[in-house]
Amino acid sequence: MSTTIPAVDSGNIIEHGVLIDLTLNNQTYYISNCYKAIEWPVGSGKNYQALAGFLSVSEIQSNISNSNDDIQIGLSAIPSVYIEKILGYPIKGAEVVIYRAFFDYTTREVLTGEVYRRFNGVITNFNVQEDIDPNSAVIS
């Protein structure tokens, strides 16, 4: 399903971000790649935690064939609360919903009506990678 976004004046710059709903063990976590926390929809109490450049999402493919599309979500330097959730609950089968939000460049606020669902699916595989520098360990 495609969506037409209204034309942009030549003086305006398009700003966008990714909002992700991650449901684990009947609890939904809200994360984004924005520089600040985003409440969307406004007044809903759903606050998307800002992970800025520490969140990456692969290309989202849209096609009309009856096939499963894969998407990869990468989190780095994440808060320990998410590590605890991933290791403490079964993550396979968890639901993921990804939205793209467009922002007013001057106010840095989400444009009303300019948030679009781009992906809805379940986690089929995951991995956790921890990089430890043994030379920086302190032993006392």
Side-chain angles (χ1 to χ4, degrees):
M1 170 173 65
S2 64
T3 302
T4 303
I5 298 173
V8 177
D9 296 345
S10 61
N12 290 336
I13 299 172
I14 296 174
E15 292 287 333
H16 67 93
V18 175
L19 309 177
I20 298 178
D21 297 359
L22 175 61
T23 304
L24 296 171
N25 198 32
N26 296 321
Q27 169 137 5
T28 303
Y29 299 91
Y30 304 101
I31 56 177
S32 78
N33 69 346
C34 301
Y35 77 99
K36 69 173 190 170
I38 302 294
E39 181 184 21
W40 182 78
V42 175
S44 69
K46 290 171 44 174
N47 290 303
Y48 290 83
Q49 182 175 356
L51 295 180
F54 297 117
L55 170 67
S56 65
V57 177
S58 68
E59 179 182 344
I60 298 173
Q61 299 178 0
S62 297
N63 60 54
I64 59 173
S65 68
N66 189 15
S67 65
N68 293 331
D69 291 327
D70 290 336
I71 189 167
Q72 294 182 358
I73 300 171
L75 299 169
S76 60
I78 62 172
S80 60
V81 65
Y82 291 108
I83 294 172
E84 293 171 19
K85 299 302 178 193
I86 288 171
L87 297 177
Y89 297 107
I91 193 167
K92 283 188 177 183
E95 184 178 353
V96 176
V97 182
I98 300 174
Y99 301 92
R100 176 165 287 160
F102 292 89
F103 298 87
D104 182 301
Y105 182 74
T106 55
T107 65
R108 304 279 198 244
E109 298 300 325
V110 176
L111 292 169
T112 303
E114 299 299 324
V115 177
Y116 303 96
R117 186 171 65 180
R118 300 296 296 138
F119 182 83
N120 189 17
V122 296
I123 296 175
T124 58
N125 199 7
F126 76 100
N127 68 35
V128 176
Q129 178 180 338
E130 184 175 21
D131 296 328
I132 299 175
D133 181 3
N135 296 325
S136 67
V138 177
I139 300 173
S140 55

